[in-house]
């Protein structure tokens, strides 16, 4: 397990490093919602990706590490937590009945982000991806109720799954410290020049005599 996790973390960091040269600052209107996956993330602190790093750069690494935690918890659940395993399988079967699942199959850099831009009162949407997904979810029948004993067993197993997730996350943070130098060098090489150029362009625009500011 330890060697497997160490290898998986190294491979995930390598995949993020291969993606990073393709990153470019977003030119579209920004979004105001806070990313729950990245804000205050101990994984990003361990990787040294906290200060002055664009969110999508952070998000791509945080999502890859979350996938490792999810995989470890899924394996632990499959081996040790029969009640939770049955509930998750039933949830997967219900999810499969939805014809449209907009949040599935996204690249790590986009997985977990809000699906639609913030609303614009001057340009209202006919529909949004999130609304389409929610309408499909409402069409799936709810699960049958659990007995009191099953609820108690499920609560116990969820606590064990959370413990597994926390332990895996802490170990991933420890392993990420060993990749800090490579992560820092990549950000310095591929990200910082683009951010600097963007700030220089903004300064020129603000200094322009035709600028409304």
């Amino acid at each position: 397990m330890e060697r497997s996790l160490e290898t998986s973390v190294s491979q995930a960091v390598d995949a993020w490093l291969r993606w990073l040269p393709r990153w470019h600052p977003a030119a579209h209107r920004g979004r105001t919602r806070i990313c729950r996956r990245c804000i205050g993330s101990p994984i990003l602190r361990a990787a040294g990706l906290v200060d002055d790093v664009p969110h999508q750069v952070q998000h791509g690494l945080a999502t890859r590490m979350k996938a490792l935690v999810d995989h470890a918890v899924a394996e632990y659940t499959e081996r040790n937590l029969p009640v939770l395993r049955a509930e998750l399988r039933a949830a997967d079967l219900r999810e499969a009945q939805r014809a449209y699942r907009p949040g599935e199959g996204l690249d790590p850099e986009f997985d977990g982000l809000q699906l639609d831009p913030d609303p614009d009162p001057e340009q209202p949407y006919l529909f949004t991806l999130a609304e389409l997904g929610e309408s499909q979810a409402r069409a799936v029948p709810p699960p049958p109720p659990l007995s009191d004993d099953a609820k108690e067993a499920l609560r116990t197993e969820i606590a064990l799954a959370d413990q597994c997730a926390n332990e895996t996350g802490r170990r991933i943070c420890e392993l990420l410290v060993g990749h800090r130098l490579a992560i820092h060098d990549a950000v310095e090489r591929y990200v910082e020049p683009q951010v600097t150029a963007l700030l220089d362009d903004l300064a020129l625009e603000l200094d322009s005599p035709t600028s409304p500011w």
Side-chain angles (χ1 to χ4, degrees), residues 48-186:
L49 281 181
V50 177
D51 298 324
D52 301 324
V53 179
H55 174 242
Q56 193 180 14
V57 173
Q58 297 175 323
H59 193 85
L61 185 66
T63 298
R64 286 178 167 88
M65 297 304 136
K66 180 182 180 297
L68 299 183
V69 174
D70 291 346
H71 180 72
V73 173
E75 286 190 335
Y76 178 76
T77 300
E78 187 67 26
R79 292 194 307 267
N80 303 297
L81 308 177
V83 179
L84 180 57
R85 180 177 67 233
E87 282 296 303
L88 292 176
R89 287 179 178 175
D92 288 341
L93 289 175
R94 291 193 299 272
E95 183 72 9
Q97 297 178 43
R98 293 170 54 189
Y100 181 61
R101 299 185 290 275
E104 288 191 2
L106 299 176
D107 291 337
E109 295 75 35
F110 303 99
D111 183 26
L113 296 178
Q114 65 184 80
L115 296 171
D116 302 286
D118 290 334
D120 184 348
E122 297 182 359
Q123 298 180 357
Y125 305 125
L126 295 176
F127 61 88
T128 65
L129 298 178
E131 289 170 350
L132 288 176
E134 289 170 0
S135 66
Q136 290 287 322
R138 287 193 295 269
V140 178
L146 295 174
S147 67
D148 290 341
D149 289 344
K151 290 178 181 178
E152 184 61 31
L154 184 59
R155 281 192 287 267
T156 299
E157 293 192 359
I158 288 174
L160 291 171
D162 287 343
Q163 181 180 341
C164 174
N166 291 334
E167 291 174 354
T168 304
R170 282 194 293 269
R171 184 58 187 139
I172 285 175
C173 289
E174 293 171 358
L175 292 169
L176 275 175
V177 172
H179 295 274
R180 269 190 171 188
L181 181 59
I183 291 171
H184 174 271
D185 289 347

Side-chain angles (χ1 to χ4, degrees), residues 5-19:
L5 185 60
E6 182 177 354
T7 300
S8 296
V9 168
S10 294
Q11 291 173 343
V13 171
D14 288 344
W16 178 82
L17 291 172
R18 288 193 298 272
W19 164 80

Side-chain angles (χ1 to χ4, degrees), residues 21-37:
R22 303 198 301 273
W23 175 81
H24 295 288
H28 56 72
R29 181 164 51 93
R31 302 178 181 185
T32 59
R33 298 180 194 173
I34 293 175
C35 177
R36 297 180 180 273
R37 184 171 299 174

